[in-house]
């Protein structure tokens, strides 16, 4: 047994071939998540040129079985620490990957059946809300289902015969869902680390409680550290001076759990202490703007060619927006004037010329104006422009220090796509074994379901299909100087595709910076499974959006639900994540119409958008929209503005949420929202605490939400009052050394360590101290 373990702990000589021993790991290694039973560890997720590695070492409690030269199966052989190291070696060079493990426990959910439900199931964040799961077992009048879960908060419902309902014996709720807390997970009890001070050679941090173990990295190498009581000292290595941008990263744990993580940018070996030192390549600085090309601005009327089919109502046809229109707005300074530094374009690949799909009330078919029905993955739709215009747009954006992201569709093609005609066997089956249509089964048949009968789903579990689609995606990087992708339908695509694509993007010439963000509706467990060093940088955090919009729009919703979901997000994605925090998107009704009472969260908002003239409603909705923007601009992650939300365009769901962008004749309220968003962006871009700061929630109750962010001596307090009355709020902020200032003019009074702020109804404040 000892002989076996020694081989497992230190696995030698993948290959005798040696390459450069510098930067074995591509980029900053995202922690590897160890699963309870067994986990696949893909070396190429971290080291694209895996043959440069001489050996790999795993923690002593991990059994590593080699599957092939670049993949190992990892399983536990004893109690495993919450944090530990995987190390890779080449010659005398060592780099490290943090391994994260959350010990799980058995949880049984029960339901006493007095109504004789049939096929009762639990659906929730613990099983990706999958209605197709095996279901509960009935014994002696009680239904039960067992789960193995990590510490945390889980939302769930019961599901039977097409109906969902909450757990009548569980009083805990998060919105309309039942809530169960597992283990000791209480965010306020976890160790909390903050940046304290720095010199040219050393960084000091402070922890609020003793630590069992600390892991500090410079890039992907362990940094020299020491701990004296609650003060942590980290040496900045001399080799950091040779890199224009590098990072110090820190994690720790104790008996209460894993701490918040720390991310500190360095410039030529010195701590970045001014936001002006950052560039568009520093991903934490991104302010993203998502526009639908056809609905944004018409810059070239000669390519206006709506589908000539009487069955398509005007709202579902092409409006005429194009790439020339986007470029015109770049040149006019619309984006830079607002403060945007990342523009996300809806899909621009060629779409069909006919009418497809069907909505019955009112009767209409649809054109492919949105771009999500590709008949080519490499040809630009002539209704949007051409290669020359796209290149000009990208160059103009880059000249203004803006990134450009393309929305890319890999999951499916339109039935007229040549790949489907040439390889009809490359798609999944439209019919399930029981003869039913495999359409819109988002969770039950997640990797095979078709979105519609004219949109074949590519079987991206097959290597030949993966290879073809990856090459099509990489085409855009080889032929255009784009900065990244927004990926459609991420959870419906096998991880084989994501790994293959990310590996190719990692080895682009000139160490090109690439940002990839995905779209997944589901639990943090599912969403995070697509984020990693070999996968995507981030996904959109729809769970935060859903809870934030409910809290700001509805008087009876408490901020406690927002605290719960934010804590869960930071646990799964990290406190310095690159997740997208959206103001809205093309698949959701406009928030301002919910906030103003024009829409109800319980109604069919697509039907409402077709059959009612949806407006803003109560003018207080503009204040609520400003609060949503303020939240997105101050929490960790990447703020994402859906076009029109910067002025408060109303609307129901698709296609009513895709109206023409409004640039002129803005009302006083609309202009006020625009100016507020501009100010918020300026505040964020110029404050390191809002870009790299540590985050702690201080208060979350029915009407008040407050949190603080720290970056060395920069401290920011953000407070929201969602009530309809003036509120005087005392908040414990501890010691402060800087003058206290506010960005929006609220009255503050300081007494020792207590800051008392007076907030107007439906307002927020950002306090610097």
């Amino acid at each position: 047994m000892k002989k076996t373990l020694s081989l497992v702990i230190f696995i030698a000589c993948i290959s005798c071939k040696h390459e450069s021993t510098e930067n074995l790991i591509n980029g900053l290694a995202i922690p590897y998540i160890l699963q309870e039973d067994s986990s696949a560890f893909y070396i190429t997720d971290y080291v694209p040129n895996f043959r440069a590695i001489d050996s790999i070492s795993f923690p002593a409690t991990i059994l590593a079985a080699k599957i092939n030269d670049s993949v190992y199966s990892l399983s536990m052989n004893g109690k495993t620490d919450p944090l530990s190291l995987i190390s890779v070696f080449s010659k005398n060079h060592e780099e490290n990957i943090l391994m994260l493990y959350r010990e799980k426990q058995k949880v049984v959910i029960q339901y006493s059946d007095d109504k004789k439900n049939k096929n009762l199931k639990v659906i929730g964040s613990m099983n990706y809300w999958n209605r197709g799961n095996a279901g509960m077992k009935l014994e002696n009048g009680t239904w039960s289902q067992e789960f193995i879960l990590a510490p945390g908060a889980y939302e769930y419902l019961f599901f039977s015969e097409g109906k969902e309902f909450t757990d009548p014996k569980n009083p805990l709720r998060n919105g309309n869902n039942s809530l169960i807390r597992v283990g000791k997970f209480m965010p306020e009890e976890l160790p909390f680390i903050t940046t304290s001070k720095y010199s040219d050679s050393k960084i000091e941090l402070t922890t609020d409680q003793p630590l069992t173990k600390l892991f500090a990295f410079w890039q992907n190498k362990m940094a020299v550290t020491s701990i004296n009581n609650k003060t942590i000292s980290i040496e900045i290595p001399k080799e950091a001076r040779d890199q224009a941008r590098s990072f110090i990263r820190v994690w720790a744990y104790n008996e209460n759990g894993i701490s918040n993580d720390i991310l500190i940018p360095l410039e030529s070996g010195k701590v970045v202490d001014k936001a002006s030192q950052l560039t568009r390549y520093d991903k934490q600085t991104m302010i993203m703007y998502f526009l639908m090309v056809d609905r944004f601005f018409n810059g070239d009327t000669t390519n206006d060619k709506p589908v000539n089919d009487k069955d398509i109502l005007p709202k579902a046809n092409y409006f005429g927006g194009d790439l020339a229109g986007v470029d015109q707005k770049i040149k006019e300074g619309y984006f830079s004037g607002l403060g945007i530094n990342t523009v996300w374009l809806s899909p621009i690949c060629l779409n069909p010329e006919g009418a497809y799909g069907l909505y019955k009330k009112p009767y209409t078919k649809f054109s492919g104006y949105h771009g999500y029905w590709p008949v080519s993955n490499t040809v630009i739709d002539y209704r949007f422009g051409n290669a020359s215009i796209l290149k000009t747009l990208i160059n103009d954006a880059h000249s203004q220090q803006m990134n450009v992201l393309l929305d890319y569709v890999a999951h499916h093609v339109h039935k007229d796509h040549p790949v489907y005609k040439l390889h009809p066997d490359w798609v999944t089956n439209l019919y399930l074994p029981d003869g039913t249509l495999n359409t819109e089964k988002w969770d039950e048949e997640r990797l095979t379901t078709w979105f519609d009968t004219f949109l074949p789903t590519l079987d991206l579990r097959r290597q030949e299909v993966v290879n073809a689609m990856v090459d099509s995606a990489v085409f855009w990087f080889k032929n255009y100087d784009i900065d990244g992708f927004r990926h459609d339908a991420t959870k419906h695509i096998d991880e084989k595709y994501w790994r293959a694509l990310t590996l190719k993007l990692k080895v682009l010439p000139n160490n090109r910076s690439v940002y990839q963000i995905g779209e997944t509706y589901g639990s943090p467990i599912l969403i995070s499974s697509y984020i990693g060093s070999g996968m995507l940088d981030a996904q959109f955090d729809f769970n935060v959006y859903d809870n934030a919009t409910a809290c700001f729009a509805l008087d009876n919703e408490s901020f406690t639900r927002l605290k719960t979901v934010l804590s869960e997000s930071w646990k799964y994605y990290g406190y310095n994540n690159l997740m997208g925090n959206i103001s809205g998107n093309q698949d959701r009704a406009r928030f301002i119409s919910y906030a103003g009472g024009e829409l109800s969260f319980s109604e069919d908002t697509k039907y409402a958008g077709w059959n009612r003239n949806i407006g803003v409603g109560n003018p207080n909705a503009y204040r609520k929209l400003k609060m949503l923007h303020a939240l997105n601009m101050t929490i960790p992650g990447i703020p994402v503005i859906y076009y029109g939300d910067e002025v408060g365009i109303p609307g129901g769901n698709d296609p009513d949420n895709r109206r023409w962008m409004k640039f002129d004749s803005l009302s006083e309220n609309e202009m006020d929202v625009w100016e507020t968003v501009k100010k918020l962006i300026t505040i964020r871009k110029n404050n390191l605490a809002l870009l790299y700061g540590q985050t702690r929630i201080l208060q979350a109750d029915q009407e008040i939400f407050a949190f603080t962010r720290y970056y060395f001596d920069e401290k920011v307090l953000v407070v929201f009052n969602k009530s309809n009355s003036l509120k005087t709020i005392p908040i414990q902020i501890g010691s402060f050394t800087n003058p206290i200032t506010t960005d929006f003019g609220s009255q503050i009074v300081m007494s020792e360590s207590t800051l008392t702020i007076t907030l107007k109804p439906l307002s927020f404040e950002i306090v610097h101290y």
Side-chain angles (χ1 to χ4, degrees):
M1 185 63 182
K2 289 182 179 179
K3 182 176 180 181
T4 303
L5 278 176
S6 66
L7 289 173
V8 170
I9 295 169
F10 198 85
I11 301 170
C13 201
I14 292 175
S15 170
C16 295
K17 179 180 179 182
H18 292 283
E19 303 290 343
S20 170
T21 58
E22 295 185 5
N23 298 325
L24 287 170
I25 297 173
N26 183 289
L28 297 178
I30 295 176
Y32 173 79
I33 309 299
L34 182 68
Q35 302 300 326
E36 189 75 17
D37 42 13
S38 64
S39 305
F41 177 73
Y42 295 83
I43 300 171
T44 49
D45 282 0
Y46 298 94
V47 185
N49 182 17
F50 69 92
R51 298 191 185 280
I53 300 173
D54 292 329
S55 56
I56 304 177
S57 71
F58 296 95
T61 58
I62 299 300
L63 294 172
K66 186 174 181 180
I67 297 176
N68 57 45
D69 283 349
S70 63
V71 184
Y72 286 85
S73 175
L74 306 186
S75 57
M76 290 183 290
N77 184 40
K79 184 174 176 59
T80 300
D81 292 335
L83 299 174
S84 53
L85 284 183
I86 298 172
S87 300
V88 294
F89 301 87
S90 180
K91 295 183 179 179
N92 296 321
H93 184 79
E94 175 184 350
E95 294 185 24
N96 309 106
I97 302 161
L98 188 71
M99 185 170 74
L100 189 152
Y101 167 68
R102 297 185 180 94
E103 188 173 6
K104 297 182 180 180
Q105 64 186 67
K106 182 171 73 173
V107 175
V108 178
I109 296 178
Q110 295 183 324
Y111 179 79
S112 297
D113 193 357
D114 56 354
K115 296 183 179 180
K116 306 302 180 184
N117 289 287
K118 295 181 180 179
N119 302 317
L120 192 64
K121 298 178 180 182
V122 174
I123 59 171
S125 55
M126 64 281 287
N127 61 8
Y128 313 149
W129 298 94
N130 181 9
R131 293 182 174 186
N133 73 76
M136 306 179 80
K137 294 181 180 179
L138 179 63
E139 187 173 346
N140 299 323
T142 299
W143 292 91
S144 63
Q145 192 163 352
E146 180 180 305
F147 299 92
I148 305 298
L149 303 174
Y154 297 84
E155 296 180 33
Y156 70 97
L157 294 168
F158 291 120
F159 175 72
S160 177
E161 298 182 292
K163 295 182 179 180
E164 299 175 350
F165 53 97
T166 56
D167 187 340
K169 292 189 175 181
N170 180 0
L172 291 179
R173 296 283 187 273
N174 198 38
N176 295 320
N177 300 326
S178 295
L179 185 73
I180 186 171
R181 297 187 184 277
V182 177
K184 299 193 328 181
F185 178 69
M186 295 295 288
E188 56 271 16
E189 295 179 2
L190 299 174
F192 188 71
I193 302 172
T194 55
T195 47
S196 178
K197 58 184 180 179
Y198 60 89
S199 66
D200 286 349
S201 61
K202 186 172 67 174
I203 294 172
E204 286 192 4
L205 313 176
T206 301
T207 173
D208 67 345
Q209 54 188 274
L211 303 174
T212 300
K213 199 163 185 178
L214 177 132
F215 295 81
F217 300 83
W218 173 73
Q219 294 298 88
N220 299 307
K221 300 177 183 179
M222 291 297 290
V224 176
T225 61
S226 62
I227 302 178
N228 182 10
N229 195 10
K230 293 183 179 180
T231 299
I232 303 163
S233 296
I234 303 171
E235 293 184 16
I236 301 175
K238 292 181 180 179
E239 58 188 307
R241 302 171 189 171
D242 299 327
Q243 293 197 23
R245 176 73 73 245
S246 61
F247 295 88
I248 295 289
R249 297 181 296 156
V250 179
W251 288 263
Y253 72 90
N254 63 13
E255 66 275 8
N256 292 324
I258 299 172
S259 73
N260 60 308
D261 54 282
I262 301 289
L263 179 66
I264 303 170
L266 306 178
E267 184 167 281
S268 300
K270 295 182 179 181
V271 171
V272 170
D273 59 1
K274 296 181 181 64
S276 59
Q277 296 173 259
L278 304 172
T279 74
R280 68 182 178 90
Y281 299 110
D282 292 296
K283 294 175 181 177
Q284 257 76 14
T285 70
M286 289 193 293
I287 310 288
M288 196 183 303
Y289 189 99
F290 169 35
L291 61 89
M292 186 153 282
V293 174
D294 179 64
R295 305 298 168 93
F296 192 65
F297 191 71
N298 191 342
D300 180 5
T301 57
T302 64
N303 61 21
D304 292 358
K305 291 180 172 59
V307 176
N308 185 19
D309 191 310
K310 61 181 177 56
D311 286 337
I312 302 178
L313 292 179
K315 195 184 288 190
N317 213 332
Y318 286 86
F319 280 14
D322 47 34
L323 294 174
V326 178
D327 187 43
Q328 182 175 327
K329 289 301 176 182
I330 291 174
K331 290 174 178 175
E332 290 177 0
Y334 182 78
F335 299 105
S336 60
L338 190 59
I340 301 299
N341 64 9
T342 302
V343 176
W344 153 25
L345 303 173
S346 60
I348 59 174
C349 289
L350 186 64
N351 267 238
E353 297 184 341
Y356 297 90
L358 178 65
Y359 194 78
K360 295 181 179 180
K361 295 182 180 180
Y363 181 91
T364 185
K365 293 184 179 180
F366 298 83
S367 71
Y369 71 91
H370 43 69
Y372 291 100
W373 299 344
V375 296
S376 170
N377 290 92
T378 56
V379 175
I380 296 173
D381 197 304
Y382 61 89
R383 291 159 289 203
F384 295 152
N386 53 45
S388 176
I389 294 172
L390 178 60
K391 289 178 179 179
T392 298
L393 183 157
I394 294 170
N395 289 337
D396 289 339
H398 288 174
S399 71
Q400 295 188 29
Q401 299 306 305
M402 285 190 288
N403 302 307
V404 177
L405 306 184
L406 287 188
D407 201 325
Y408 188 75
V409 182
H411 168 264
H412 59 263
V413 294
H414 187 272
K415 67 184 183 66
D416 290 340
H417 197 298
V419 75
Y420 180 54
K421 293 182 176 181
L422 290 171
H423 304 282
D425 60 316
W426 278 15
V427 305
T428 61
N429 291 326
L430 178 57
Y431 291 91
L432 295 170
D434 64 3
T436 59
L437 275 173
N438 184 13
T439 54
E440 298 187 357
K441 296 186 180 296
W442 313 123
D443 299 306
E444 304 96 312
E445 304 293 337
R446 181 164 58 89
L447 297 177
T448 63
T449 195
W450 288 33
F451 287 12
D452 211 323
T453 54
F454 59 89
L455 296 174
T457 291
L458 293 167
D459 192 349
L460 289 163
R461 299 167 298 180
R462 296 173 55 178
Q463 194 61 53
E464 66 269 35
V465 186
V466 168
N467 292 342
M469 292 308 294
V470 165
D471 287 344
S472 294
V474 173
F475 164 89
W476 293 97
F477 282 91
K478 289 183 175 179
N479 290 274
Y480 304 93
D481 194 18
I482 62 171
D483 302 287
F485 280 138
R486 177 267 187 187
H487 289 292
D488 189 55
T490 301
K491 76 173 185 180
H492 299 291
I493 298 174
D494 191 87
E495 66 178 38
K496 181 182 290 187
Y497 170 81
W498 299 121
R499 284 201 155 84
L501 173 60
T502 300
L503 182 58
K504 282 208 170 184
L505 295 182
K506 280 185 175 184
V507 297
L508 289 171
N510 304 316
N511 197 26
R512 190 164 163 187
S513 177
V514 175
Y515 173 73
Q516 295 189 90
I517 185 167
E519 175 211 34
T520 291
Y521 292 94
S523 69
I525 303 171
L526 176 64
I527 293 169
S528 62
S529 70
Y530 286 90
I531 301 170
S533 283
M535 304 283 275
L536 305 181
D537 296 286
Q539 297 218 60
F540 297 103
D541 201 332
F542 297 119
N543 295 309
V544 166
Y545 173 78
D546 288 341
N547 284 273
T549 52
C551 285
F552 288 127
L554 303 174
D555 293 342
N556 63 340
E557 288 294 343
S558 171
F559 276 125
T560 55
R561 66 181 289 184
L562 181 58
K563 175 185 176 181
T564 296
V565 75
L566 282 171
S567 299
E568 281 290 292
S569 288
W570 299 337
K571 180 183 78 171
Y572 280 97
Y573 318 131
Y575 284 73
N576 291 282
N577 65 71
L578 296 169
M579 300 289 285
N581 296 315
I582 64 172
S583 66
N585 73 6
Q586 79 280 26
D587 296 323
R588 300 293 184 93
R590 295 279 187 171
F591 166 73
I592 198 167
S593 295
Y594 285 121
E598 286 281 289
L599 291 172
S600 166
F601 283 99
S602 61
E603 74 173 307
D604 182 343
T605 54
K606 182 172 289 191
Y607 179 85
W610 275 112
N611 293 281
R612 299 205 310 266
N613 182 20
I614 305 299
V616 171
N618 190 320
N620 281 338
Y622 290 103
R623 295 185 184 183
K624 295 179 178 182
L625 177 59
K626 290 191 292 183
M627 287 197 288
L628 177 62
H629 283 302
L631 179 76
N632 289 344
M633 292 294 171
T634 54
I635 59 175
I638 306 302
V640 184
I641 299 171
Y642 180 46
Y643 84 97
D645 283 342
E646 73 270 36
V647 296
I649 292 178
N653 208 335
D654 163 24
D656 196 40
N657 57 355
R658 305 172 183 183
R659 302 179 186 181
W660 265 121
M661 177 56 191
K662 186 176 183 180
F663 294 102
D664 304 311
S665 302
L666 299 180
S667 70
E668 183 178 345
N669 280 326
E670 290 169 334
M671 198 66 219
D672 179 51
V673 174
W674 194 92
E675 292 289 353
T676 301
V677 172
K678 177 182 178 179
K679 185 172 182 177
L680 285 166
I681 291 174
T682 300
I683 293 166
R684 180 180 178 88
K685 290 171 72 172
N686 289 286
N687 196 292
L688 288 166
L690 296 178
L691 299 173
Y692 294 99
Q694 302 83 61
T695 310
R696 173 165 259 179
I697 296 174
L698 302 179
Q699 185 173 340
D701 55 34
Q702 185 66 36
E703 298 173 330
I704 306 300
F705 186 63
F707 61 91
T708 188
R709 300 196 68 183
Y710 315 80
Y711 183 82
F712 295 103
D713 62 349
E714 289 189 34
K715 297 178 182 178
V716 174
L717 171 69
V718 186
V719 190
F720 296 87
N721 172 20
K722 60 171 279 189
S723 78
N724 293 302
S725 60
L726 189 74
K727 292 288 183 181
T728 300
I729 310 154
I731 300 175
Q732 295 290 326
I733 64 170
S735 61
F736 64 97
T737 56
N738 297 323
I740 298 177
T741 61
T742 62
D743 286 317
F744 293 90
S746 299
Q747 180 183 343
I748 55 172
V749 176
M750 193 68 203
S751 176
E752 296 182 350
S753 61
T754 301
L755 182 149
T756 302
I757 184 168
T758 301
L759 280 184
K760 296 176 182 178
L762 301 173
S763 72
F764 63 91
E765 185 58 88
I766 299 174
V767 182
H768 305 263
Y769 65 100

